[in-house]
Amino acid sequence: MTNSTPSTPDAAPDNWVDHTPAQIRPYLRLMRADRPIGTWLLLIPCLWGLALAAAAGHNGSSLFWYPIFFAIGAYVMRGAGCAYNDIVDRDFDAKVERTALRPIPSGQISVKKAWAFLVFLCLIGLIVLLQFNQFTILLGLASLLLVAAYPFMKRITYWPQAWLGLTFNWGALLGFAAAAGTLAPAAFALYGAGIFWTLFYDTIYAHQDTDDDALIGVKSTALRLGEATQKWLIGFATMIIAGFMLAGFLIDAHPLYYAALIPAIAHLTWQIRTLDIHDSHNCLRLFKSNRDCGLLLLLAPICDRITHLI
């Protein structure tokens, strides 16, 4: 293996991973360290849950450390999920232009070594999870069932993005449970909003691969919705905001909570209006912009919490 080992097309050119030692570079690419957007999309719902619990009056003394724990956990577990997904999908990935250069299908890492790396990442994730209360630990372990099933969803349904939503937004429940020690209806409202958020951004992402997916028999919402995608995105965006508004109602949020949703509404509207499903670069750019969208949604519970402090 040489220093010229190619990166995948959707990674930023000349990113930091490209300058790491050749021996570890394939493992960093396997865990998508060269594409941090996935970590953000996994972390942000955790922050939503924490902030909503704080807004609802749950103010544990360890809340300062919880975002740090969740950031570490999101980083390693997103990497573990990517490794697992690539192990399962290695034959499909070899047939798709965007994924053919991933470490396993390109022969940079053997399946056996990928499994070993996956176990290593999961052990780090377990150490992080054990920093929380018992209820949160059990809740976190339960999410593994969703993670294990996800790679197979694209083989049996045109809605694998819905299953990804169930998986990626589990952090909204974890964040709330970590702060509150339990779950409340508002946490489930937030979880529902997150599921529609994933349907929104991952449908956009999936439009990069529609031609290859159709040829190899992989299903996605992008294929299912086709030219009607933008109309469906309007519906998904509506449900995202509705979920946040319901969560606010259930915690008796301050009016500032609802006003703080306006920037996120504007961002979602911008994405829908500028989407070109036939332009893969446009799809990737809009997909990545959902880090900003998720952080804008975080403003609502943060602003509500601030009203309790002034």
Side-chain angles (χ1 to χ4, degrees):
M1 190 184 308
T2 67
N3 289 341
S4 62
T5 302
S7 184
T8 50
D10 50 355
D14 199 31
N15 60 78
W16 72 273
V17 172
D18 293 336
H19 300 282
T20 57
Q23 293 83 355
I24 67 170
R25 194 179 309 142
Y27 294 95
L28 292 173
R29 288 177 177 160
L30 181 64
M31 66 182 295
R32 311 290 197 272
D34 52 352
R35 278 163 289 169
I37 179 61
T39 299
W40 279 108
L41 296 177
L42 191 59
L43 171 62
I44 287 172
C46 302
L47 302 181
W48 292 349
L50 280 173
L52 188 71
H58 301 284
N59 303 307
S61 59
S62 299
L63 282 182
F64 174 80
W65 295 105
Y66 286 175
I68 298 174
F69 292 151
F70 276 120
I72 298 171
Y75 187 78
V76 298
M77 292 311 296
R78 185 262 184 149
C82 289
Y84 175 64
N85 187 77
D86 285 6
I87 291 169
V88 174
D89 282 352
R90 59 189 182 275
D91 293 333
F92 282 142
D93 286 346
K95 300 175 183 177
V96 176
E97 181 180 2
R98 187 178 59 82
T99 58
L101 292 177
R102 286 179 176 174
I104 297 176
S106 64
Q108 300 172 51
I109 297 178
S110 68
V111 174
K112 183 178 180 180
K113 289 182 178 179
W115 274 115
F117 186 58
L118 168 60
V119 171
F120 170 70
L121 293 174
C122 287
L123 287 174
I124 298 175
L126 178 61
I127 292 171
V128 173
L129 185 62
L130 292 176
Q131 307 310 306
F132 299 112
N133 58 63
Q134 185 178 27
F135 181 76
T136 304
I137 293 171
L138 294 175
L139 192 64
L141 293 175
S143 69
L144 295 178
L145 297 174
L146 294 171
V147 174
Y150 168 66
F152 303 98
M153 293 298 109
K154 63 176 70 73
R155 295 160 168 79
I156 61 176
T157 177
Y158 279 101
W159 293 87
Q161 281 72 22
W163 194 270
L164 183 64
L166 292 171
T167 306
F168 249 57
N169 294 282
W170 199 258
L173 302 180
L174 287 176
F176 194 97
T182 187
L183 290 175
F188 289 101
L190 202 66
Y191 180 51
I195 293 170
F196 282 102
W197 183 45
T198 301
L199 276 166
F200 184 93
Y201 66 65
D202 209 58
T203 295
I204 293 174
Y205 184 79
H207 268 289
Q208 297 176 90
D209 299 328
T210 50
D211 291 341
D212 287 329
D213 287 349
L215 285 173
I216 64 179
V218 171
K219 300 177 174 65
S220 73
T221 49
L223 284 172
R224 174 65 179 82
L225 304 180
E227 297 296 331
T229 291
Q230 284 176 303
K231 294 180 181 178
W232 279 84
L233 293 182
I234 293 172
F236 297 156
T238 300
M239 294 304 294
I240 295 167
I241 301 304
F244 267 82
M245 293 183 71
L246 177 59
F249 173 78
L250 291 170
I251 65 166
D252 194 23
H254 189 276
L256 185 60
Y257 174 102
Y258 303 101
L261 290 172
I262 293 174
I265 294 172
H267 194 284
L268 290 165
T269 302
W270 166 75
Q271 288 192 64
I272 295 168
R273 289 177 62 87
T274 59
L275 175 65
D276 180 356
I277 62 173
H278 303 293
D279 182 344
S280 61
H281 296 292
N282 171 271
C283 292
L284 182 60
R285 179 173 64 91
L286 291 180
F287 165 73
K288 289 182 176 180
S289 78
N290 278 279
R291 179 201 64 177
D292 300 335
C293 182
L295 292 174
L296 289 173
L297 287 164
L298 180 61
L299 286 176
I302 288 177
C303 286
D304 184 78
R305 177 58 187 153
I306 291 173
T307 65
H308 295 287
L309 300 176
I310 58 177

